Amino acid sequence: MENKTGTDIALLVKYALEKGLIASEDCVWAKNRLAALIGEPACPHAGGELPAVPEYPQQLLDALTDRAAQNGAAVLETGAERDLFDTELMAVLTPRPSEVIAKFKSLYAGSPEKATDWYYAFSRATNYIRAERCAKDLRWDVPSAYGTINISVNLSKPEKDPKAIAAARFAPKTAFPPCALCRENEGYGGTLTTAARGNHRIIPLRLNGEDWYLQYSPYVYYNEHCIALSGEHRPMKVDKNSFERLLDFIDIFPHYFVGSNADLPIVGGSILTHDHFQGGRATFPMELAPVEKTYSCEKYAEVEIGRVKWPLSVIRLASENRSALSALAEDILSAWRSYSDAGRGVLAFSGETPHNTITPIARRRGGKYELDLVLRNNRTTDERPLGVFHPHPSRHHIKKENIGLIEVMGLAVLPARLKRELAEIEACLLGERNSFYENAALAPHAEWYKKLCERTDITAGNCADILREETGKIFVGCLEDCGVFARTADGAEGFDRFVQSVIG
């Protein structure tokens, strides 16, 4: 047992050394610190030659966490408790913030891309990005009238077991950090309800004269999925300053895109309490979507204005003149905030409650700045309590949650339950079809299943692919539901009327 534990410790330290997290002079110290954390009186001797280090450290962390539990060093009965503990193990091997920032700045001086390449690899190496978990996500593409749409089933976030839920209920409440995005999370030990961040490091930025910070999402939904967060804990707000910050960001990182969730419930993201953006090095389907109609404006002659062929209502602006681009975006946002088209269901207010906002996305394309402005409306009715411009109830069996920035751009992030449910539906289609109705968990899919049963082309060889394609079609329908101007001749007329009201 001692040799196995000693080997695990030595191998984890070797992993950290090869990943550049520590120097050779740190190795003895690191072994002793890890041994102390898991309750070993001294670091056990490894014995023999060490094997090659693994791609990911999780297996080693799991073994050391098991040993800590055996030693009584910590209570580790739930997944949440194990995550808290293995983060502390990696925190021993993670450089201090000042070292990380200095390294990033040194690389950035030579190349912004080299700086983010290193920082992303670093965030994976420290296990802050749990790459092994992220690799479990299901991903596939589906064709559509709008181009290829990306589908994913999110399996990265571990589901809480009953013990974890019960423990969290009685855990002491704390007001620190104020939210999951606050910069104060850096180095935080965590609780049963707040993730540990001992291995988390952030990079300071200046956006529009303010202190902001760069980090990567611990559950990367796409390549180099990053978050830019305000140094101040304040609510999301889309305004002129937002456009300036977005454009500053792509000046700093021209190889990244960046966008903001809308600042109203239903059409916004899951965190509205802290001003932040999401970006990264990825090309989304919406970026590839063509402009289907162009507009001209004498006041903004240097800005290209277009209506994008996309399920949601998107205005694309492009120009080499950054200030003109930002000014026109502000004019569009200001006009949209108060714009109503009752005949098409668009109402700017219910009493004093506002409904209109924008989801903005910024990128560089060649020598030009480009802004996609997605028109959003969060009005609800008795018939549509989750939102008029929200996935229709008939599609909730696939997607009921809000359509935020990532999905607006054409990447579905579907709930983990679908992995199991799609497999069970496939089994029903290929076996005893009436068994579907004996499974209560599949009841929301009943109408969809009925239509699938009417198909005569389903075989054992293609059933899984058909289910994935049909799932993708439903997601495209969800996006169309969120378009404030429908993809019809009448909707296009309404879209054009709004644009003309702004540009004259």
Side-chain angles (χ1 to χ4, degrees):
M1 178 67 75
E2 286 189 358
N3 280 349
K4 171 67 167 61
T5 300
T7 298
D8 290 337
I9 290 174
L11 198 53
L12 185 59
V13 170
K14 182 182 178 184
Y15 166 90
L17 182 64
E18 290 189 8
K19 295 295 184 181
L21 302 180
I22 61 174
S24 58
E25 295 87 347
D26 301 320
C27 289
V28 171
W29 169 85
K31 290 176 185 177
N32 284 323
R33 294 311 308 144
L34 291 170
L37 274 175
I38 66 172
E40 294 288 326
C43 183
H45 179 64
E49 186 176 344
L50 291 176
V53 301
E55 181 180 3
Y56 306 119
Q58 194 60 56
Q59 187 174 353
L60 296 172
L61 294 171
D62 287 343
L64 294 177
T65 300
D66 289 341
R67 184 62 172 167
Q70 293 167 11
N71 289 341
V75 177
L76 301 170
E77 296 180 352
T78 68
E81 289 166 337
R82 291 180 66 87
D83 281 358
L84 291 172
F85 188 81
D86 73 21
T87 300
E88 282 301 298
L89 294 176
M90 286 307 303
V92 170
L93 305 170
T94 303
R96 292 192 177 192
S98 58
E99 299 173 65
V100 176
I101 292 167
K103 175 76 171 180
F104 184 90
K105 287 182 175 180
S106 173
L107 291 170
Y108 184 90
S111 164
E113 288 189 50
K114 287 184 179 179
T116 56
D117 285 348
W118 172 81
Y119 182 44
Y120 186 62
F122 167 84
S123 298
R124 290 166 63 92
T126 63
N127 212 40
Y128 165 70
I129 296 175
R130 293 180 180 263
E132 197 165 6
R133 288 183 185 171
C134 296
K136 297 177 182 178
D137 289 351
L138 303 181
R139 296 182 181 275
W140 67 92
D141 295 336
V142 294
S144 79
Y146 311 100
T148 299
I149 301 295
N150 308 137
I151 309 295
S152 72
V153 175
N154 177 27
L155 304 174
S156 304
K157 294 184 180 180
E159 296 183 14
K160 292 184 178 179
D161 58 46
K163 283 187 178 180
I165 294 171
R169 180 183 177 189
F170 296 106
K173 299 295 186 274
T174 175
F176 180 89
C179 81
L181 289 181
C182 284
R183 65 164 299 194
E184 288 82 4
N185 283 279
E186 187 177 36
Y188 182 60
T191 68
L192 291 178
T193 56
T194 305
R197 291 291 181 254
N199 55 351
H200 178 40
R201 300 294 181 263
I202 59 178
I203 304 297
L205 304 173
R206 292 288 288 177
L207 300 182
N208 197 32
E210 293 184 342
D211 289 332
W212 281 60
Y213 296 87
L214 177 71
Q215 67 177 58
Y216 288 103
S217 168
Y219 301 105
V220 287
Y221 292 142
Y222 52 84
N223 187 47
E224 297 183 39
H225 178 183
C226 70
I227 299 171
L229 56 99
S230 169
E232 177 186 356
H233 179 69
R234 67 187 185 210
M236 293 284 293
K237 185 178 182 181
V238 177
D239 59 11
K240 173 179 172 57
N241 291 321
S242 304
F243 299 136
E244 293 299 331
R245 294 184 199 110
L246 292 170
L247 294 170
D248 275 355
F249 185 93
I250 59 173
D251 274 341
I252 297 170
F253 303 112
H255 56 296
Y256 275 9
F257 84 91
V258 68
S260 172
N261 264 304
D263 53 0
L264 293 177
I266 297 175
V267 295
S270 58
I271 298 179
L272 293 175
T273 56
H274 195 115
D275 205 2
H276 70 284
F277 304 143
Q278 295 183 76
R281 192 186 303 197
T283 300
F284 283 83
M286 190 171 78
E287 180 180 345
L288 301 176
V291 168
E292 61 184 0
K293 180 173 181 177
T294 60
Y295 309 89
S296 59
C297 175
E298 184 175 345
K299 180 180 178 182
Y300 295 106
E302 294 179 76
V303 182
E304 300 169 20
I305 309 167
R307 184 178 76 214
V308 180
K309 184 182 178 183
W310 194 244
L312 289 94
S313 305
V314 184
I315 302 171
R316 178 167 294 165
L317 310 180
S319 181
E320 294 179 358
N321 186 329
R322 173 180 157 165
S323 60
L325 186 84
S326 180
L328 177 52
E330 182 187 10
D331 284 354
I332 292 171
L333 173 62
S334 178
W336 180 244
R337 291 283 192 192
S338 60
Y339 188 83
S340 291
D341 187 339
R344 296 180 175 89
V346 177
L347 299 178
F349 292 90
S350 292
E352 296 184 358
T353 302
H355 296 308
N356 286 355
T357 185
I358 278 177
T359 300
I361 301 103
R363 65 183 74 91
R364 298 295 295 268
R365 199 190 293 259
K368 295 179 180 178
Y369 295 92
E370 192 167 273
L371 277 175
D372 281 350
L373 306 179
V374 188
L375 307 179
R376 311 299 301 274
N377 178 286
N378 78 339
R379 186 170 68 90
T380 62
T381 64
D382 290 341
E383 295 77 22
R384 299 287 296 276
L386 295 183
V388 174
F389 301 103
H390 181 83
H392 189 273
S394 65
R395 295 186 240 277
H396 286 180
H397 64 109
I398 296 296
K399 178 69 178 179
K400 185 178 182 180
E401 299 79 11
N402 295 347
I403 299 296
L405 170 67
I406 295 171
E407 294 180 310
V408 161
M409 296 186 293
L411 169 58
V413 182
L414 302 180
R417 61 177 173 82
L418 285 178
K419 178 184 179 182
R420 179 187 68 256
E421 292 171 6
L422 291 177
E424 291 174 349
I425 290 172
E426 179 183 1
C428 291
L429 288 169
L430 296 176
E432 177 50 60
R433 292 194 168 191
N434 285 335
S435 64
F436 173 92
Y437 300 101
E438 299 169 5
N439 189 336
L442 299 181
H445 297 288
E447 288 301 314
W448 186 44
Y449 181 73
K450 182 179 178 181
K451 292 178 181 177
L452 289 169
C453 285
E454 294 171 358
R455 294 185 60 152
T456 60
D457 60 337
I458 293 178
T459 68
N462 66 15
C463 188
D465 289 338
I466 286 174
L467 283 173
R468 289 187 170 201
E469 183 177 350
E470 293 300 318
T471 298
K473 289 179 181 178
I474 292 170
F475 175 70
V476 172
C478 290
L479 295 184
E480 290 174 332
D481 293 336
C482 297
V484 294
F485 296 112
R487 292 292 304 172
T488 62
D490 179 72
E493 181 182 339
F495 191 118
D496 293 345
R497 182 181 300 174
F498 167 68
V499 174
Q500 292 298 338
S501 74
V502 181
I503 66 176

